[in-house]
Each structure stands twice: as C-alpha cells, then as structure tokens.
Amino acid sequence: MRFLSLFWFLSTAIPFISIAAIQDLSDPAWPASPVPINTTEAVIEAFWAPKIKAEKRWNLTPLSDIEKPAPLPTFNRRWDCVEIKWDTTQSIKGTRIERTFDLPLLDYERLVLRLNLSPDCLASLSAKIDGQWQHLETPTPGAFSAIEVVQGISGVTLQGVRIDVSSTKPGTQTARLRWLMLQKPGVPWTPPSIDFTKFVTPALASPQPGLELLFDHTELERMRNLYLSSIFDDVRAADTELAQSRMSIAPLSNLRPYLLYGRESIRLRDQQYHRDVDGLLLAIHGLLNQDEAALIQAAKHAIVLAHMDHWADGFMDRFPGSTWTHSGFAPNVGTIIASLLLDWCWDVLSPAGRELIREAIRTKGLPYLESQKLAMANQGVRFHKGLILGKIACNVLNDPKLKDVIAADLARMNRQLSPLIRTDGTFAEELGYGLSTLASTLVTYQAAAKYLEKPLIDVVNPRILNGLNFALLQQHTLSAPLAAFAAGPLQEQRMVSLCAPSSILDASGFSNREMTVFGLDWLWAPHFPAKRVSPILPRFSVHSDGGWVFAGSAQSEVPRLGFESGFWDEEGHNYKRKNALTLDADGETLLLTRHHVAYADKRHPLTSATTAFNTFAPGGRNQEPVLAKASLNQSLLPGFKTTTPRGADLLTATDLGHTVVLESDAATAWSHNVTQCQRRVLFLRPGVILIEDTALLETPETGVQTWNSLFPWEKTGPSRAFITTAKSVLELQVITPLAQPVFTKENSVHRIRKPAAIVPVHATTVTLPANTKHRVITLLTHHPIEGSPPSIKIIGNDSTSPTSLQVQQDNITWTIYFSSQELIQIDGLQTDGSWGFITSESGNPSECGVFSATQLTWHDQEIQGNGFLSISRAENP
C-alpha cells in the first residue's frame, strides 16, 4: 500500500516518471532510466537502500603504486549507505569503484555523487558518455560531514561511472556512498502560496487548550500563576525576549518540501527546516501570557507545517523501493509539533485550519510512525510520542475504542523501554542517549495518563526512576524537568532539592526539542527550593547489571570515582570505553567521559575512539567486540549456540572503608589478539588512586594508556604530569615501568551542552613498546591547591620496577606490594597472590587485600578463594 501511494505521488507530481520506478530493484541493470525525484533531479544509484542492492552492481579495484597484487578493498552494506574501506599501509593508495550504465541523459547536465570520506582523502568522478570518458578536473577533499562531488556532463547516453577515492595518509580509510543522481537546470521545488485567512482567525474568548493533550484549563491557570510569580522573573524575562525575536520570523520562510530531521539525507543546496522557530514557543508563550498575537503567529506556523509535501528526512524516505529505517524520525517530529500546535492554537484556528492540521497528521505522520513503531534501540520508544499524541489529536469522533489503542501503545513503549534501562538503572546505551530517550518519554506519559485518566505513576515504566538515580550518580545532577518528574509523579523526595524554575523550552539538558516538557515540570514539582542543591551521593555504589561502580565520600570537595565495565548490549550507541575511569572533584570534571556528537560529524571517530576515554588499549585500537547477541533469525537456525557475552567482566568491587578495590577484565571488548586486558584500581580515600593495567596478547602490539581532561596537562618530569583547576591539583605518575615517559597533547574536541560550546580535550598518554605482555602501574593523587599532597614513597632496588609503594594521608598509611615474594614477609601475611596491600591506622593494621590469590593467611586467620581476597579490621582477631 505504501509503495502504491509513493508511486502515485511521483507519477502525479512528475509527469515524466520513469519505468525505472517499477523495474526489479535488484536487477543488475537498474535503473532502466533515470528515476525523477522532482522536476530537475533524478536518481541513478541508491546506495542507501538495502533492497536496491547497489553493491551488486559495482566493481572494486585497488589503486596501487606497485606492480604486485594488492589486497582488495572491502565493500560493506550499512543501514544508510554502502561503505568502502581500504588500508594505505598495504600499498593501496585508494580504491576505484566502477559500474556500467545504459541510460538516456535527456536534458540532464550534471552528475552528482553524495558521500562521506575520511579526513585527508580525495574523491574524483568520471563518466563514460557516448563511448568517451569525461573526467572531473578538481578532486574533492574529504570530511566526515557529507560532501557532494559534481561532474558537468554532455552527450546522449551514460554508459559508465567511475569513482576514485584515495589518500596518502597511512591507516584504514573509509568512503560512505549515499547516492548518485543527475541534475538539469530549473527550480526543483516552488513553495505553494497560502491564504492564512482561511485557516487562522482571532479568538472569540480568552484562548485555552482545545484538546487538553498535556494540561487542562485548571492546570494552565496553575502554570500561569507560577509563571507570573516573582520566582520566575528571570525565566520569564528570557522566554519573553526569545518569543519576541520569534515573532519577527515569517512562518512562510520555513516552508519546505520536507520536514528535514537530519543532514545525511538532504542535498547540500536544501534549506533545512528550522525546528527552533516551529511555533511551539509562541504557542505556549501565548497561552501563559494570554497573548493572542503570539498564538496567531504560532497557528500560521502550524498551517505552514501542514502544507509541507512530506514529513520526511528527504527524498530517500519517499523513494520507490526504499526501506530506509530512519524514516520515522521526521514524521515523529512533525506529528508532535502539529498535535501540540493544534491543541494550544485551537481558539485561533478556523474549523478548516483544524481539519487541515488533522489531515496532515493522519496522512503525513501516523502511517509512517505505525510502520516504524517497532524500530530498533531507542527509536521505537521515541516514535510512540508522535503515535500517542497524534492519535489523540485526530480523535474527532471521540472513539471509545481509542483508549484501548492508547493503552496498547503505551504498554508496547514500556516493553521497548525496559531493555534500554536495566534493573539497576544503568543504560544499555551511552548515558547521553539513555537519558535523552528517557527524557523523550515524559510528555508521552503525561498525555497518555491524562487521556486514560490514570495517575502518572501508574503508567510509567518503574525502571525510569532507577535510570534517573543512576544518571544522578554519573553526572552528579539532573536537569530541572527530570528532577521534577522524579520528585513529583514518582515521589522521589530526595530529588526535590534539584527542582528549579526552568524555561518553557528547557530540553532536559539537550538541544533537541523532542525532550522539551513545555512547563509541565512546574506542575510536577512539589515545590521549588530557595537554592538548588544536589542530594548527598552514596559513598559506594555498585551497579552490577551495567558494570558501573561509583566511589567517593560525603564531602563534595574530595574526588568521586566512576568506573565502567560491563558487557555490551545488542542495542547501539555504546562508546568504546570498557574499563574507563572518570573523576570529579569540587564540582569539576577532572577526568572526563565524552558527550555524544553526530555520526556524520567529522569529530565522531575521534570522540568515540577508545583512546578518547581513560582506559588502556592494546595497539591503541578501538574496542570492537563481536556482538553479544544473535538476531532472531539466527537464533532459529538449526544447531544455533548462544554466544558468549562480550565487553568487560567486573570481577571485584569491594569497599573496605579506607580502601575501595575494583578489578575488571575487558579482554573480550576486542575482537582479536587480546587474551587479557585487566584493570585493577585501588581508591585510597580521600584522594589517591592506584591503577594497574595488564594485557596478554597473542602477537606483539603496543599498549596505550590515555588520560583525558578539559584542563591542560603540564609535565614535571619524564613520567609525571599534572592538571590544575581553580581549587585543586591532580597529579599523575607512572610507577612502573619508571623509565616509560608520558606525553601530553591536545586530543580531539568535546561538546558541552550549557552553554553550547566546543572545547579542546587534553590528553596524557603512556605508550608501551610492542610486546605480548604489558603492565603499567599509574598513580593519581588529588589535593587542594593550597594543601599538601599525600606522602608518596617508592620502595625497591630496581629503578625501573619498584617492589612496593607507601602512601600516607593524615593518620592512614597504605603499603602496597607488587609481588607475592614481598607479601609473604610482611606483617604475618602469607599468600600466593600477585600483589596486594596492607592499611595501617595509627600503626595498627586495619585492612588487607591481595589480587589473584587462592590462599591468604594473616594473623592466624586463613581464607581460601579465587581472585581478590581481603580481611578487614573487624574480621581480624
């Protein structure tokens, strides 16, 4: 049915529609003629569409400077492109991609290739026309953001296309091909004229929400009273200034053929739909301030949205035969905006205007959301917002069966959400994705609860609160809307201190409008405290499902340590950072975890790399595990065997009081050559951290340990460096091997959200020479800028490999031994373990621990086990 509607659109909007649209999509000669997508453009290769199977029609040849045969480049199908990879270290400078055509050029004058390239790569385009090759004179330099290579052409018949991508930079290079099209002169799209007098009219009375999707008249009055009170003076002033600036923007200036969501699926000459001026701010501002002019302007934005040809990312979503799975995002955004504008602008919309918006939701939004409601990872969860809002908004006849439909949609969304938030609150995806997914559900829950006439707490997935508590632990704060949702509907009283007056369009710490709650947090919050204060975080917290451990103390001025291990889930959006550390103190991030940047952003391969996090990487490679789970189709095959979970295995997480002990092995985070990649951490409260990284490899590779901070590192010696903040100093020292130097550099970039900015990241790295065995022990010490650092004493005759280390803070002394030979001679301790420590308080032994031990005897007490063994003072006779 969808295919027929698409064909109807193309055949009616474009009178010269080609038979190619109904040709066998996997035919090696596809298309039989150019496939028009508007009056000036036609597609001749759809690399993005899996069913069209572009990779079957193209031949790959390595471009090599030497005569001997070179390894073939790889040709891989991705969900939104065809990807070519080649390795310049194997005597290949590039790749040639070539296929034959037999297409009439008609009056087309240009050939356009859309692709993404690794930095420093070049792409050139050639066309064989009427038996002669026509070449592009100037190659296009690569970037991870999308580029277009344009070739002027002339002739009668296109007989072949050749794409050359090359680089002199060593290493693995990538080209992602998206489409190949023809262009001819003309205007590809002309915006329709709109007579707003048919659709928008002055209100007859004080405007109120017409559908009550999120709040009714009484609740609006409560919101208005709060908004006009003195505690909202600053928020109201900022929102009013923003609304005034939006009033000057003509709604017609935002009229486009598509409701564009991303950048990958549009032409470079396309103008993107500006969702920050979509009318929502004017609508909610108009209701709260009883400003009819703002509501009328917002209603015009709604009419413009309804007049768009498609709520889609671009032609890729509506191309015959395309099954692009990203197609739900733009219809979802369009449906959300249209539904809320219909509700809030109800009293300034004429009956014709209301029906126009409803018809747009019914035809341009809901059908595409229904087909994508089971989409992978967090997508299906997000699409339910549009589904639920849109269905309620279009319920003109008050269908009594719709409540059952909404309840079923909500239940399905909750089932999809559960795998993304584990029982311990950790997210199956990176925190940014997990938190934004969670935040995107708040309006969905509000609308569903109101329509079903149920308390919010009765419709919310119970894991939501666990996820909010975990996010608080990881980032030490929550945005005001999330805190209000937890403190109010979910009855988490300790979150009340984080509630605060927030903007109408506060997006829960994200720029994406999809996470905005439009002032609902004012209704949710039990009250607004005089000062926003973060709750006291636990001294020690283990989240075994996700492999996260947090350790600190009750004092905010001392460091809080975060340690991430855990296995990969099948869901995407996980960064390559198993066994990574984060460190915070005095409200500042000392060792950071990166925030998300878009896949197409040229910074993404750098910010998502393993070396972008504070961990150890054999060969400096990225963690790339084999998928932990098989697909449903694979699991149904005869003889299927369950695959082993991969990632990092949290072996030990113990709080002994003065000492926190962590141990994890991330060997399976790498797809090959790694037998062991173990990290052991001793957190000596309050400000010393000892880290041992060991690796066993099948063949020799280097070992790279990286420490990333927003603060510049300064070297104080061959194996020492430090960073200085406004309040404290963090020092880094390689303990063994002492002869191994550290290097400092500016490493990639980092996105911060409030205020939005791009800032440099500074890295200190330790690189061990290639070997099959690696061991590096690193000491981090933190102290106030005016205070004295802890006393550190390195013990041992071998200058390159100490036998023990003594650390003293206040009246606590830690003695750490790096070999079992030393351990069996100290304080009556006997063990077969590899290394361990004894803690003394005022000269009295209080804690003892040994790694990789099977037997430990201390003060006539014996413990047998496997791995880390410990005896605390309370257990000691």
Side-chain angles (χ1 to χ4, degrees), residues 97 175 201 463 518 583 611 719 743 782 791 821:
I97 309 106
T201 181
R463 295 190 184 186
F518 309 108
L583 190 65
T611 52
S719 59
F743 297 93
H782 175 269
S791 172
Q821 291 182 347

Short mmCIF file of all heavy atoms in Angstrom, two decimals, residues 97 175 201 463 518 583 611 719 743 782 791 821:
data_model
loop_
_atom_site.label_atom_id
_atom_site.label_comp_id
_atom_site.label_asym_id
_atom_site.label_seq_id
_atom_site.Cartn_x
_atom_site.Cartn_y
_atom_site.Cartn_z
N ILE A 97 35.84 2.51 -7.77
CA ILE A 97 34.52 1.89 -7.77
C ILE A 97 33.89 2.21 -9.12
O ILE A 97 33.79 3.38 -9.49
CB ILE A 97 33.63 2.43 -6.62
CG1 ILE A 97 34.39 2.36 -5.28
CG2 ILE A 97 32.33 1.66 -6.51
CD1 ILE A 97 34.85 3.69 -4.78
N ALA A 175 35.15 5.40 2.81
CA ALA A 175 34.25 6.21 1.98
C ALA A 175 32.85 5.62 2.13
O ALA A 175 32.67 4.40 1.99
CB ALA A 175 34.69 6.17 0.52
N THR A 201 -7.91 32.70 12.61
CA THR A 201 -8.91 33.72 12.91
C THR A 201 -8.71 34.22 14.32
O THR A 201 -8.23 33.47 15.19
CB THR A 201 -10.32 33.13 12.74
OG1 THR A 201 -11.29 34.14 13.01
CG2 THR A 201 -10.54 31.95 13.68
N ARG A 463 11.29 1.33 35.78
CA ARG A 463 12.74 1.49 35.63
C ARG A 463 13.16 2.94 35.40
O ARG A 463 14.34 3.26 35.48
CB ARG A 463 13.25 0.61 34.49
CG ARG A 463 13.08 -0.88 34.75
CD ARG A 463 13.81 -1.72 33.72
NE ARG A 463 13.57 -3.13 33.94
CZ ARG A 463 14.16 -4.11 33.27
NH1 ARG A 463 15.04 -3.80 32.31
NH2 ARG A 463 13.90 -5.37 33.53
N PHE A 518 7.74 21.64 28.08
CA PHE A 518 6.82 22.75 27.90
C PHE A 518 6.19 23.24 29.20
O PHE A 518 5.00 23.54 29.27
CB PHE A 518 5.72 22.38 26.91
CG PHE A 518 6.25 21.82 25.62
CD1 PHE A 518 6.13 20.48 25.32
CD2 PHE A 518 6.89 22.65 24.71
CE1 PHE A 518 6.63 19.96 24.14
CE2 PHE A 518 7.40 22.14 23.52
CZ PHE A 518 7.27 20.80 23.24
N LEU A 583 36.60 10.97 36.90
CA LEU A 583 36.97 11.52 38.20
C LEU A 583 36.46 12.95 38.29
O LEU A 583 36.67 13.76 37.38
CB LEU A 583 38.49 11.50 38.36
CG LEU A 583 39.03 11.82 39.76
CD1 LEU A 583 38.60 10.75 40.76
CD2 LEU A 583 40.55 11.95 39.73
N THR A 611 40.76 5.51 22.75
CA THR A 611 41.77 6.41 23.30
C THR A 611 41.18 7.76 23.72
O THR A 611 41.89 8.57 24.30
CB THR A 611 42.90 6.64 22.29
OG1 THR A 611 42.33 7.04 21.03
CG2 THR A 611 43.73 5.39 22.09
N SER A 719 58.09 10.94 33.65
CA SER A 719 56.95 10.06 33.89
C SER A 719 55.89 10.73 34.77
O SER A 719 55.08 10.05 35.38
CB SER A 719 57.42 8.76 34.56
OG SER A 719 58.07 9.06 35.80
N PHE A 743 53.46 11.51 27.58
CA PHE A 743 53.39 12.56 26.58
C PHE A 743 52.06 13.30 26.73
O PHE A 743 51.03 12.69 27.02
CB PHE A 743 53.52 11.99 25.17
CG PHE A 743 54.84 11.34 24.90
CD1 PHE A 743 55.01 9.98 25.09
CD2 PHE A 743 55.93 12.08 24.46
CE1 PHE A 743 56.22 9.36 24.86
CE2 PHE A 743 57.15 11.48 24.22
CZ PHE A 743 57.30 10.11 24.42
N HIS A 782 45.26 13.57 44.30
CA HIS A 782 44.48 14.80 44.27
C HIS A 782 44.58 15.50 45.61
O HIS A 782 44.50 14.87 46.67
CB HIS A 782 43.01 14.47 43.96
CG HIS A 782 42.11 15.67 44.02
ND1 HIS A 782 41.46 16.06 45.17
CD2 HIS A 782 41.77 16.57 43.07
CE1 HIS A 782 40.74 17.14 44.93
NE2 HIS A 782 40.90 17.47 43.66
N SER A 791 51.86 11.94 51.14
CA SER A 791 53.25 11.48 51.14
C SER A 791 53.34 10.18 50.34
O SER A 791 52.63 9.21 50.62
CB SER A 791 53.73 11.26 52.58
OG SER A 791 55.00 10.64 52.58
N GLN A 821 56.37 -12.39 46.56
CA GLN A 821 57.59 -12.63 47.33
C GLN A 821 57.74 -11.61 48.44
O GLN A 821 58.19 -11.92 49.55
CB GLN A 821 58.81 -12.59 46.39
CG GLN A 821 58.86 -13.76 45.42
CD GLN A 821 60.09 -13.70 44.54
OE1 GLN A 821 60.77 -12.68 44.49
NE2 GLN A 821 60.37 -14.80 43.86
#
